[in-house]
Amino acid sequence: MIVDFANKKNSKIAQTEPTQKRAIRRQAKKKDVQPKPAPKEQTEYKASLLFYLDRFIRENTNVYRNETIKRYQTLHVLIKGYQEHSKTVFTFESVNIDWGNRFIDFLINVRNNQNEAMHKVKVCLFKFLRYYSERGFIFNQSIFKLTVKQLNKLDFPIITESELTKLIETKVPTILEKYKDLFLFQLFTGQRISDVKAFRKEQVKNLIWEFYAEKTSKLTKVPLSGFGAYALVILKKYDYKLPSFTEQHLNKNIKEICRIAEIDEPFTFQRLQGAKVITTTKPKWELITTHTARRSCISLLISKGIPLPTIMKLTGHSDVRMLMKYEQNQFDALEKAFQNIKL
């Protein structure tokens, strides 16, 4: 049988020609049809502050720590709430000092936020705006004159020496024991919870825990002897693999542990809400968080007469004024000092 390949090929071409022509006609029709405009809401969102804040968060997810990203996510929630409250879509053109003051008023009067929290929001807002200002975005620079009044010194609870002894000796349910150990490890080392979470066995050499701090990238050395010996006991208990929990669960269970230990002395503190000073009294255990451990360590070391420059080497502070913000409730030390002075 002889196959005419030339005719067969031509036949295939002939069969495909109508298909190709139909495709060309369809393409031509598509060109004549104008694309549907995007919904108004979508167009407004792409020009809004929220759109660019979303993009800022995505672009910096691998640059900033998780805690920092969460702050920007909080800023997103707050601006979105302010937008819904104002029934206005905010853009860079909206931004100025008046807009900022109205935003603060919204946080005070609608959300009942206190000035300490609003100050953190302001810092994130400024960094976000500067990020886009450096990339050519134009907006009213008066926004950077926005201020949030703060108290000169905030009152935070600390674990006193007697309360620390009580906490160590208190037996807690087995399910809470790991939370207690983690809190005590943090207290006897004076380190941030982010660095405790990042602990690795190879960081310990010759009874020294040596690492680069997550927040500051500074080389930090923590003695695991003397005052720090209890931290070493905890490390050995867990074979140098410290338990890990979310900070939310850790804070919740630390409060419960301190309640069981009867760390319930009334603690009175003041906060600003706008121009109004709010005074609140609560049992101390209700106010204990992971950061209380770091503050307590610093306060205990100061009360024992450890020089501030030495403590700064442990904590990584570069400014003594920042360190003194952690110094609390040193009246007992002052009273003892007065008793030791003999004329």
Side-chain angles (χ1 to χ4, degrees), residues 114 116 155-159 183 250-252 254-256 258-259 263-271 279-293 295-296 329:
Q114 295 181 347
E116 183 189 359
D155 297 316
F156 295 106
I158 62 154
I159 302 294
F183 182 72
L250 192 51
N251 284 331
K252 177 183 175 182
I254 286 171
K255 287 176 171 60
E256 177 61 13
C258 289
R259 187 192 67 78
I263 301 177
D264 51 10
E265 179 184 356
F267 184 81
T268 300
F269 58 98
Q270 291 185 327
R271 294 292 184 269
T279 302
T280 308
T281 300
K282 291 184 177 183
K284 186 185 284 188
W285 64 265
E286 288 189 21
L287 304 169
I288 304 298
T289 67
T290 58
H291 209 58
T292 306
R295 292 191 185 105
S296 300
N329 300 338

Side-chain angles (χ1 to χ4, degrees), residues 72-228:
Y72 287 106
Q73 290 170 340
T74 299
L75 176 62
H76 189 284
V77 170
L78 295 176
I79 292 178
K80 184 178 180 181
Y82 179 35
Q83 210 171 244
E84 292 171 352
H85 178 77
S86 305
K87 298 179 181 178
T88 306
V89 175
F90 299 126
T91 66
F92 281 100
E93 291 182 358
S94 310
V95 174
N96 54 43
I97 185 66
D98 292 333
W99 177 87
N101 284 325
R102 289 194 300 271
F103 182 36
I104 294 298
D105 287 342
F106 164 77
L107 296 179
I108 295 171
N109 299 316
V110 178
R111 290 188 58 92
N112 295 318
N113 288 123
Q114 295 181 347
N115 291 30
E116 183 189 359
M118 290 189 292
H119 176 72
K120 294 177 181 178
V121 170
K122 187 198 77 169
V123 170
C124 287
L125 175 65
F126 281 11
K127 287 184 178 179
F128 158 64
L129 291 173
R130 286 196 175 99
Y131 179 86
Y132 281 106
S133 180
E134 291 167 0
R135 284 156 179 77
F137 283 66
I138 299 173
F139 53 87
N140 194 316
Q141 299 289 303
S142 66
I143 184 64
F144 295 118
K145 295 180 181 178
L146 182 67
T147 59
V148 177
K149 188 178 179 181
Q150 289 185 286
L151 293 172
N152 290 331
K153 188 175 182 180
L154 296 175
D155 297 316
F156 295 106
I158 62 154
I159 302 294
T160 64
E161 189 171 356
S162 59
E163 288 171 337
L164 177 58
T165 301
K166 189 190 295 187
L167 185 60
I168 292 171
E169 293 175 351
T170 297
K171 292 184 178 181
V172 298
T174 305
I175 194 171
L176 294 177
E177 191 172 343
K178 290 182 179 179
Y179 294 94
K180 175 185 170 182
D181 288 338
L182 204 60
F183 182 72
L184 289 174
F185 179 84
Q186 193 184 354
L187 196 153
F188 280 102
T189 60
Q191 301 308 307
R192 299 179 186 89
I193 189 62
S194 56
D195 294 314
V196 173
K197 286 183 176 182
F199 175 85
R200 300 191 309 278
K201 183 177 181 179
E202 55 267 28
Q203 293 173 333
V204 178
K205 296 178 182 178
N206 301 321
L207 297 181
I208 301 292
W209 174 25
E210 186 174 325
F211 62 95
Y212 287 94
E214 292 275 319
K215 184 176 181 179
T216 63
S217 298
K218 289 183 179 179
L219 179 63
T220 304
K221 296 181 180 181
V222 181
L224 297 176
S225 56
F227 180 77

Side-chain angles (χ1 to χ4, degrees), residues 13-32:
I13 292 173
Q15 290 173 5
T16 57
E17 278 181 354
T19 305
Q20 290 173 344
K21 286 179 181 180
R22 284 196 298 272
I24 292 170
R25 284 197 299 272
R26 282 198 301 269
Q27 193 66 28
K29 287 181 180 179
K30 284 183 180 179
K31 290 181 180 179
D32 293 336

Side-chain angles (χ1 to χ4, degrees), residues 25 47 60 88 211-212 236 248 282 307 313 326 336-337:
R25 284 197 299 272
N60 290 284
T88 306
F211 62 95
Y212 287 94
K236 289 180 177 179
Q248 181 181 4
K282 291 184 177 183
K313 290 180 180 179
Y326 291 83
K336 287 179 183 179

Side-chain angles (χ1 to χ4, degrees), residues 1 3-15:
M1 178 180 176
V3 179
D4 189 345
F5 288 101
N7 288 336
K8 187 175 182 179
K9 184 177 180 182
N10 290 337
S11 175
K12 284 186 177 181
I13 292 173
Q15 290 173 5

